Amino acid sequence: MKYEAVIGLEVHVHLATRSKLFCSCPTTFGVEPNQNVCEVCAGMPGVLPVLNEKAVEYAARLGFAVDCTINNDSVFARKNYFYPDLPKGYQISQFEKPICEHGHLNITVDGQTKRIGITRIHLEDDAGKNIHSAVDNVSYVDLNRAGVPLVEIVSEPDMRSAEEAVAYLKALHAIVTHLGVSDGNMEEGSFRCDANVSIRPVGQEAFGTRTELKNLNSFRHVQKAIEYEIARQQDELEDGNAIVQETRLFDSAKGITLPMRSKEEAQDYRYFPEPDLLPVHIDPEKLEAWRASLPELPEARLNRFIQEWQIPAADAETLIADPALCAFFEASVAAWSPQQARKIANFILGPLLRAINQDGVTLDRVAMTPAQLAELARIVDSGLISTKIAHDIFPDLLKDGGSPEEYVKQKGLAQVSDTSAIDSVVLAVIAENPAEVEAFRGGKTKLMAFFVGQVMRRMKGRANPAVVNEALSRHLNA
Ligand code: ADP
Ligand code: MG
Ligand code: ZN
């Protein structure tokens, strides 16, 4: 029997507001436990929540970006459950009337573009965090995260493979980071995903029973967990067993999913409208202003890079995945010319990205300006220096800034294109390697690389390769 996977994702995204959803505590990550806490987010009796308007704006802007209908009126609801990290005893979420509904976004997998439906986006507050210490065998509760604003983005069960699920997540991640409504940091839990997975025989219309996978904190884990789960469900069915609807935890070390708890139903939460908050009403003019001020979205930006600037698709995708890198790239292109965007992209994705990935360089702290990066690409293009020299001096320029052209002149790194200077080195190399010369003239033309290497070594890599090649062919074939 052939099976088909059906996948729907629930994504929780921290909104990049300065204060929490219902109080004025800061949302800063990584501070000492229980520093960002007040009576409201600690769930003291008698306190009243006050809605943070910025969170409403961010949720609405995200809704516009994924073509949702934004409800002018939405309602907060209490979702009741007990857990030590939830001092109120309920989460304030949205249930029957969420802020956004009926959206979609496009994904492209193997060159095929597909539309994935977005059922709803709702606002809610995050819970705190339990910290289990193995050292003193005690569990602690940190409420810094309690009350941090979240949106939950629920997709339709429209994905059919782990690749599609990851493509959807990456597209959504690019949207929230390009809009600036979230930092999207997956390691810090600002962008979290639960994957609902079921399988059905190919051709069958009805969905199979789903499991919900948790603890997926990287794109790779999402991919691995879904692949494992599809294979596991297939084995169960082939062994004649039924799939149990349950929540399963992904064990990233073992690469497997394990049962965590049986799936709770909506009625278990005793949802009811939050009595301490009025329905959220958004003024239509305000809503229109938010829509009108949306930036260019990642999909459009990606297509512009590929179609107008001739950036290869894979490179364009790498750029899009990081809005700060994108901004640096665009500013560099603006400093030179759109016709030269590809040459600039090569520096961004080569030495600059290497510095970011390997040396932990962050763009807001580098001394090199986008205009200086463009200048470096330009002096390679004009033949003043070779690409190799440009890469060699890149780390210094990145750290210290300044004009690459002046740097090159000061250090005497300018490329030698002078034919007579190169000719004399070529003749010396030919004179010193008679055996190789004979072999070359006898047909071993692959030795050209050897001669080029010899000339370059003597000239410390500063000879213009085109002139070297020309001089060598002239003298060797003479
Ligand atoms: P719950 O809170 O019970 O998980 P939600 O409505 O928040 O319910 O989310 C349900 C998610 O599961 C949605 O993303 C939906 O697309 C997905 N889903 C529903 N049925 C299936 C199914 N049979 N197989 C896979 N995914 C499913
Ligand atoms: Mg769920
Ligand atoms: Zn607070």
Side-chain angles (χ1 to χ4, degrees):
M1 179 103 70
K2 287 280 275 173
Y3 291 97
E4 172 181 62
V6 172
I7 301 155
L9 300 181
E10 293 160 82
V11 182
H12 287 89
V13 180
H14 269 170
L15 296 176
T17 56
R18 274 182 305 193
S19 56
K20 293 186 180 180
L21 188 54
F22 299 118
C23 63
S24 56
C25 290
T27 55
T28 41
F29 182 84
V31 298
E32 287 292 300
N34 297 310
Q35 292 307 293
N36 300 343
V37 180
C38 71
E39 296 82 348
V40 174
C41 52
M44 299 285 172
V47 295
L48 288 173
V50 177
L51 180 60
N52 180 341
E53 186 185 332
K54 204 71 188 170
V56 176
E57 175 186 337
Y58 283 174
R61 287 165 71 84
L62 171 59
F64 280 126
V66 293
D67 275 319
C68 278
T69 306
I70 318 296
N71 292 322
N72 279 103
D73 296 282
S74 62
V75 176
F76 280 106
R78 286 192 185 180
K79 179 179 183 180
N80 300 280
Y81 67 93
F82 169 78
Y83 208 58
D85 64 10
L86 188 76
K88 297 196 299 300
Y90 55 86
Q91 181 185 27
I92 303 180
S93 182
Q94 296 187 308
F95 188 56
E96 275 164 6
K97 268 205 120 196
I99 182 164
C100 313
E101 293 175 280
H102 316 303
H104 58 85
L105 58 74
N106 291 332
I107 60 167
T108 302
V109 174
D110 296 331
Q112 294 283 95
T113 299
K114 179 172 170 179
R115 173 187 277 213
I116 307 297
I118 288 175
T119 318
R120 54 191 268 141
I121 300 177
H122 61 253
L123 271 165
E124 58 190 27
D125 59 357
D126 205 350
K129 222 174 189 171
N130 295 330
I131 299 164
H132 308 291
S133 166
V135 184
D136 42 13
N137 204 24
V138 172
S139 289
Y140 298 93
V141 179
D142 175 8
L143 295 179
N144 283 344
R145 203 179 66 180
V148 168
L150 286 173
V151 277
E152 176 172 344
I153 304 142
V154 182
S155 86
E156 291 291 308
D158 285 349
M159 288 151 278
R160 296 289 173 266
S161 66
E163 288 75 23
E164 287 187 4
V166 170
Y168 167 85
L169 268 188
K170 285 188 173 169
L172 195 57
H173 188 266
I175 290 169
V176 299
T177 54
H178 281 248
L179 288 176
V181 301
S182 175
D183 64 20
N185 193 321
M186 289 178 94
E187 279 161 32
E188 293 178 1
S190 299
F191 190 92
R192 317 195 286 259
C193 162
D194 301 338
N196 295 272
V197 180
S198 65
I199 60 172
R200 62 181 172 187
V202 169
Q204 176 183 308
E205 181 118 12
F207 289 150
T209 303
R210 68 173 152 130
T211 58
E212 182 172 334
L213 312 182
K214 289 197 180 280
N215 197 31
L216 314 174
N217 38 31
S218 72
F219 294 125
R220 234 182 96 72
H221 289 177
V222 172
Q223 171 98 26
K224 290 268 160 246
I226 294 176
E227 279 170 359
Y228 175 87
E229 185 60 15
I230 293 170
R232 186 192 71 83
Q233 291 187 11
Q234 207 158 313
D235 287 348
E236 290 286 3
L237 294 187
E238 273 160 13
D239 288 351
N241 301 327
I243 305 299
V244 181
Q245 176 154 348
E246 63 188 354
T247 303
R248 298 177 68 89
L249 203 64
F250 179 59
D251 179 332
S252 59
K254 298 204 181 91
I256 62 174
T257 66
L258 294 165
M260 182 172 136
R261 56 168 190 250
S262 66
K263 178 85 186 109
E264 55 293 303
E265 304 284 343
Q267 67 262 22
D268 298 333
Y269 290 117
R270 293 286 183 261
Y271 278 100
F272 62 86
E274 168 60 58
D276 290 343
L277 285 162
L278 289 168
V280 186
H281 175 75
I282 312 174
D283 182 48
E285 275 169 33
K286 206 174 254 174
L287 199 54
E288 173 51 25
W290 292 340
R291 192 197 59 74
S293 63
L294 282 188
E296 182 184 31
L297 295 174
E299 194 184 5
R301 206 173 192 184
L302 182 80
N303 290 333
R304 181 162 58 83
F305 288 173
I306 296 172
Q307 279 151 26
E308 290 178 30
W309 290 1
Q310 324 297 319
I311 307 295
D315 289 351
E317 274 161 27
T318 308
L319 286 166
I320 290 295
D322 182 345
L325 202 65
C326 252
F328 201 96
F329 169 60
E330 297 227 29
S332 302
V333 172
W336 189 5
S337 144
Q339 268 89 50
Q340 311 293 348
R342 242 184 119 147
K343 288 172 192 156
I344 286 171
N346 289 339
F347 274 98
I348 303 263
L349 298 169
L352 181 56
L353 200 55
R354 210 169 306 130
I356 292 171
N357 291 339
Q358 287 175 11
D359 311 327
V361 167
T362 55
L363 278 176
D364 51 349
R365 271 191 266 148
V366 303
M368 178 191 271
T369 64
Q372 288 162 359
L373 184 136
E375 184 182 319
L376 184 63
R378 208 169 51 220
I379 60 176
V380 171
D381 195 52
S382 71
L384 181 65
I385 54 169
S386 64
T387 306
K388 171 158 191 322
I389 297 277
H391 283 211
D392 288 349
I393 65 177
F394 196 89
D396 276 351
L397 291 169
L398 195 62
K399 191 158 61 68
D400 302 328
S403 155
E405 184 162 356
E406 270 165 34
Y407 179 95
V408 161
K409 288 193 170 148
Q410 245 168 39
K411 301 242 163 174
L413 295 172
Q415 184 163 266
V416 178
S417 300
D418 174 26
T419 317
S420 63
I422 290 173
D423 262 357
S424 64
V425 178
V426 164
L427 287 172
V429 166
I430 286 178
E432 279 163 31
N433 298 282
E436 282 79 6
V437 172
E438 202 184 314
F440 180 88
R441 290 185 173 146
K444 261 191 105 176
T445 51
K446 272 195 193 143
L447 280 167
M448 189 59 149
F450 161 78
F451 289 112
V452 172
Q454 291 295 311
V455 174
M456 280 299 187
R457 229 178 61 197
R458 279 160 181 262
M459 302 192 69
K460 299 198 167 62
R462 287 176 213 157
N464 181 327
V467 180
V468 171
N469 269 295
E470 186 278 325
L472 276 168
S473 342
R474 189 154 32 81
H475 291 293
L476 284 168
N477 296 318

